[in-house]
Amino acid sequence: MFAEGPIVVALDGTPHSASTLQFGVEEALRAGAPLVLARAPHEPHRSIAWAYACVPGAMGGYVPKDDTTAFLERTRAEVSLLHPGLRVSARVLRGPLLASLCVLSHDARMLVVGARGVLGRPGPGANSAFLARSGHCPVAVVPAMGVTAPSAWTPVVVGVDGSPASVAAARTAAASALRRGVPLLLAHARASAPGPRPRRGSAPRLGDPADPCHDGARSVAALIGAEHPALEVRLTLMDDDPARSLVELGRDAALVVVGSRGLGPVRGQMMGAVSRAVIRSAPCPVLVLRESMDPLRHVGGAADGPP
């Protein structure tokens, strides 16, 4: 269903919601999809409320429980005024927040949440991490610093390894790059041998193009190039920690897309280590999806993996 559904944006009334909303609005405009603004009438943990009360002006970003409907309607009206052609609706969530958002994600094209840790700590909070691994549609996690300014040279980055999950991620990333009019950068990093930990912010080490460990990534690049001949597809091969490499590439990216394929007895219900690490540290929005969310499965096409 997610190929035709709305973009659902989960707002919490804090200043971070502005970044989350901006990303959701831009995605809806590019996709020609309806926009649903959602919020649950809950109050913050008492320690967070205390912190708001101690910071001058901070309470202006917190929406009290009884103002949820007014906040959503005000936000809906502002978005509609700025974008008259966009179909915008508001939904006050009843019941547990995470369960309600998971229900909405059943019929959504994308669920957009903010990556905001407790009391402003970096990385996603427990809610965004849970939704990224449990949502029934692709889940975008937006960092507090917001969205990268658009540029013709700002690529969409996707991590690939030849697995079905990475094929689904590459196809979704390709569609996103086409809508943005930017290149698609496929990245594969092979974890290097143990050694000194690389300095934070250092460039990932380029891999040997002839290394057979990169064959799966090359196959995915060929597949995406054949499916989208008009799209500029680039492939970068690295010998480095996969999550760290994607985070570094994300510094100059409009979006990082990762396929989640948790392993073990509860595979499919857990988020893989790479995707979990990327949403924790990436400086740009991260889109997380599972193998079952391959877009070709939802438009009547074949969803075969790389040749």
Side-chain angles (χ1 to χ4, degrees), residues 248-272:
E248 292 301 325
L249 291 173
R251 299 187 186 282
D252 298 312
L255 177 71
V256 171
V257 183
V258 291
S260 178
R261 57 187 189 105
L263 304 177
V266 288
R267 180 175 180 176
Q269 301 302 317
M270 299 293 289
M271 185 162 51

Side-chain angles (χ1 to χ4, degrees), residues 22 26 30 145-151 154 250-255 283-285:
Q22 178 190 356
E26 292 177 357
R30 292 189 191 100
M145 62 277 293
V147 182
T148 303
S151 163
T154 305
R251 299 187 186 282
D252 298 312
L255 177 71
C284 68

Side-chain angles (χ1 to χ4, degrees), residues 252-300:
D252 298 312
L255 177 71
V256 171
V257 183
V258 291
S260 178
R261 57 187 189 105
L263 304 177
V266 288
R267 180 175 180 176
Q269 301 302 317
M270 299 293 289
M271 185 162 51
V274 172
S275 51
R276 184 169 59 248
V278 172
I279 68 168
R280 185 189 309 120
S281 304
C284 68
V286 177
L287 185 64
V288 183
L289 68 157
R290 295 190 293 277
E291 173 189 340
S292 60
M293 298 174 185
D294 189 316
L296 291 195
R297 295 179 185 268
H298 299 264
V299 294

Side-chain angles (χ1 to χ4, degrees), residues 30-67:
R30 292 189 191 100
L35 183 70
V36 176
L37 309 179
R39 187 179 189 276
H42 70 283
E43 296 181 359
H45 187 276
R46 66 181 58 186
S47 63
I48 299 177
W50 177 85
Y52 269 119
C54 293
V55 179
M59 280 301 292
Y62 164 60
V63 181
K65 180 176 180 179
D66 59 357
D67 195 35

Side-chain angles (χ1 to χ4, degrees), residues 11-304:
L11 303 174
D12 61 8
T14 64
H16 188 181
S17 283
S19 298
T20 310
L21 178 61
Q22 178 190 356
F23 181 88
V25 168
E26 292 177 357
E27 285 296 307
L29 289 171
R30 292 189 191 100
L35 183 70
V36 176
L37 309 179
R39 187 179 189 276
H42 70 283
E43 296 181 359
H45 187 276
R46 66 181 58 186
S47 63
I48 299 177
W50 177 85
Y52 269 119
C54 293
V55 179
M59 280 301 292
Y62 164 60
V63 181
K65 180 176 180 179
D66 59 357
D67 195 35
T68 299
T69 301
F71 164 76
L72 284 176
E73 181 55 34
R74 183 170 61 251
T75 305
R76 187 202 65 77
E78 291 172 353
V79 173
S80 296
L81 183 64
L82 289 172
H83 307 284
L86 182 61
R87 291 169 290 168
V88 188
S89 60
R91 178 77 65 89
V92 176
L93 303 176
R94 304 299 180 185
L97 170 65
L98 299 182
S100 298
L101 287 173
C102 281
V103 169
L104 276 183
S105 73
H106 269 287
D107 297 322
R109 182 183 309 230
M110 181 187 296
L111 174 62
V112 183
V113 299
R116 184 174 60 86
V118 176
L119 295 178
R121 293 173 186 166
N127 288 357
S128 54
F130 174 88
L131 291 167
R133 71 174 181 264
S134 303
H136 300 283
C137 67
V139 176
V141 182
V142 183
M145 62 277 293
V147 182
T148 303
S151 163
W153 302 104
T154 305
V156 170
V157 173
V158 58
V160 295
D161 58 8
S163 67
S166 76
V167 172
R171 283 175 167 147
T172 299
S176 181
L178 284 169
R179 287 193 295 268
R180 286 172 163 80
V182 301
L184 175 67
L185 177 59
L186 291 89
H188 178 249
R190 181 189 66 171
S192 53
R197 187 168 183 173
R199 178 174 55 85
R200 180 177 178 83
S202 60
R205 297 183 293 276
L206 295 180
D208 179 1
D211 191 327
C213 289
H214 298 304
D215 285 349
R218 284 191 286 267
S219 295
V220 177
L223 177 69
I224 298 301
E227 291 179 351
H228 302 284
L231 176 63
E232 181 183 351
V233 179
R234 305 172 184 169
L235 176 64
T236 182
L237 306 173
M238 297 160 285
D239 289 332
D240 215 330
D241 176 72
R244 194 189 77 87
S245 299
L246 288 173
V247 169
E248 292 301 325
L249 291 173
R251 299 187 186 282
D252 298 312
L255 177 71
V256 171
V257 183
V258 291
S260 178
R261 57 187 189 105
L263 304 177
V266 288
R267 180 175 180 176
Q269 301 302 317
M270 299 293 289
M271 185 162 51
V274 172
S275 51
R276 184 169 59 248
V278 172
I279 68 168
R280 185 189 309 120
S281 304
C284 68
V286 177
L287 185 64
V288 183
L289 68 157
R290 295 190 293 277
E291 173 189 340
S292 60
M293 298 174 185
D294 189 316
L296 291 195
R297 295 179 185 268
H298 299 264
V299 294
D304 296 331

